[in-house]
Amino acid sequence: MAKKPSAPRDERGRSPAYGPGAHPRTAGDFRPSREELLTYIEENPDRSGKRDLAKAFSLKGADRVWLKDTLADLHDEGLIEKDKRRLKRPGTLPHVAVLDIFSRDGDGNLLARPAERDGGEAPVLVLIKTAKTGRGRAPGVGDRVLAKTFRNDGPGPAYTARVMKVFEKRAETELGVFRTLGSGGFRIVPVERGRPEFEVAQEFRNGAKDGDLVEIETGRSTRYGLPQAKVVSVLGSLTSEKAVSMIAIHAHGIPHVFPSEVIAEADAAQPASMDGREDWRELPLLTIDPADAKDHDDAVHAAPDDDPANPGGIVATVAIADVAAYVRPGTALDREALNRGNSVYFPDRVVPMLPERISNDLCSLKEGVDRPALAVRMIFAADGRKIRHSFHRVMMRSVAKLAYPQAQAAIDGATDEKTAPLLDPVLKPLWDGYAVLKRGRDKRQPLDLDLPERKILLKPDGTVDRVIVPERLDAHKLIEEFMIQANVAAAETLEAKRQKLVYRVHDSPSLVKQESLREFLQSIGISLARGAELRTQQFNHILDRVRDGEHEGLVNEVVLRTQSQAVYSPDNLGHFGLNLRRYAHFTSPIRRYADLIVHRALISALSLGKDGLTAGEEARLDDISELISTTERRAMAAERQTVDRLIAAHLVEQVNGEFDGRVSGVTKAGLFVQLPQFGTDGFVPVATLEDDYYIFDETTRALVGQQTGKGYQLADAVLVKLVEVAPLAGALRFEMLSEPKPMPGAKRSFHKAKARQKRGRATMSRGPRGRR
């Protein structure tokens, strides 16, 4: 009898983890490690769907559920991405890819990147094997090509590629600053990091002047010359007051000019009538907002509950601008609002979701002016427990428009002409109502992170004057808690009425992130029991333990990074951070489309009018939720990048200056250092840490020196020197001046990190002395 062939073995004689010859698996046994899953996905880009993975690793039954959860965790951590039905590692390419050639390296070789990209991938080095391609010409800068890709394990770009085909020329535009040279030539300085400068011929300048922000169409270049470009449009001068935010607006494609039909609809809108509304104009509702607010979409009121059965209880009222009365489904106003998704707030301007006629006029709850509103009246017991609530479509008249410091000062005893007559009848009952709501909040224990927000104050010319951390007042907390309770009431009402809606969901941290947190806490001497899923109370207990201690900032940062990202969804997952079972955005329909959807849903569910949610909108809630989640992320990125550019421009004159900073991020490539006084980050490349070989230790969030056991850790206070500023990109580069500190358990961390390196979880990084 012929001998049965043995299962294939690897070079060390081991049975493979997956594929032919893999050991049969039983539920829970021989599950692939995270590293094995990541390796398979990277090595098999054409067979990387969930079914492919289950088949490759022989996973069945309960193991498939485990696989689904593990892949979700890897996705949340940014270790894998979805590409249609397949999964891929970020920055990886399929064996055959469409590439855009965008530049040349110092040796004249062509550089390309994926045609479909998020902007963060490493460049791909395109090696031309023959002088001509099948299309009769060699590819050049500006071409789109079909190429076969190969992993590059050596220095340089992550991939090499062999061109298979050059596609027809495709126009591509990007942003840059037009510069006039002393020699009479013209250049484009790109806005995007890592892009080359372009040369512009006189006939292609399109009227651009020195310092103009322009949109250019890139062209091909000769082997050693600068790539060519022509100016498509002039967007404005960088010397204008709002030029910095204009870069982000165009770079992110944020709609900022309302179409004429939208303006026409807004201008034609008339104030809402009393038809079908309750008259609440005698109720002393008031608005409390930032001093520079132009639109006021929420008003509040509180009074003791006169029901003898509810001693010490209160009646809290929140009235929200009735945007649904003006922005009807299917109109040009509605389409543009959905397209924008939300307002975008830059330090130097606001890009509103709705035209000013709606946002700053008809829907703004102005003092002493009749305005339509959707209001909720909530009854709370003395212990902060909500007893019941009801929604009403009303006409209201704000008794006063107050700023946060103004309202707080009145409560603290410093009244002015406006607040003095409001103190006893309106403000004191409002603060008494907040005291009741706070008792409920304290019992609920939402996540209590201490992460101060910064605000940039600008000079009249649009440059930075200073950066401040506004004081967190009880007035802020009062409005926040009233809004949270109104949002909860909206979600509860719609669920009770079985009305579809868009929830604001914040999922609990993945089990992988929770386990990573446990490992980190153990590294600083804090134990956390394994097993049960963490709740907000446990997070708060951790934060309380480190409060006012040396690890307070570090632990707050790590706990923040453990959290999932909040999104919009028609499916309820609860809100982990607020520790709420159901939550929806109801209180800001002037600036968030999600709130407008919730308003329409309430109008439909409670029969409050004919301008509620349509059947077509209900059918598209999945798409709407995904769109407005995307526009929210777009706005956050644009706002953050604008702040970075403003601060970078502010620091141009301080190159070689020394700054106190704090390590805000640690990667194998180096350290991100935040300047607390400015709220912005710069980078310290690991290659500039010349005194040791540094290992990225994932557990301790640190770079640890191999020889000394000393290193730099997340949240460390450090001294850095500013050595380079790129204002257009908003980038800062620092040199580390602080000596590395002794790392507790450094030897153990080093050996663990080195072991993870072999499994693909960490990478050895070396300073210049040991790199070559």
Side-chain angles (χ1 to χ4, degrees), residues 197-234:
E197 290 190 356
F198 293 88
E199 192 171 59
V200 179
Q202 170 68 35
E203 61 268 28
F204 295 130
R205 64 181 294 188
N206 199 16
K209 298 185 292 294
D210 187 67
D212 280 348
L213 179 66
V214 295
E215 185 177 27
I216 62 170
E217 187 176 288
T218 60
R220 301 179 68 237
S221 68
T222 60
R223 183 174 177 83
Y224 296 106
L226 283 177
Q228 302 294 305
K230 63 179 180 180
V231 176
V232 176
S233 60
V234 178

Side-chain angles (χ1 to χ4, degrees), residues 12 14 33 35 695-699 706 746-764:
R12 297 185 183 178
R14 300 173 300 187
S33 67
E35 290 72 32
I695 288 286
F696 171 50
D697 184 31
E698 189 177 357
T699 298
Q706 176 185 358
K747 279 192 174 181
R748 184 180 73 252
S749 292
F750 172 76
H751 290 303
K752 281 187 175 181
K754 200 162 186 180
R756 281 197 300 271
Q757 178 188 359
K758 293 179 180 179
R759 300 195 303 269
R761 289 182 60 190
T763 299
M764 175 79 78

Side-chain angles (χ1 to χ4, degrees), residues 253-270:
I254 295 172
H256 66 292
V257 177
F258 286 105
S260 57
E261 63 267 29
V262 174
I263 295 297
E265 280 189 9
D267 289 344
Q270 298 299 315

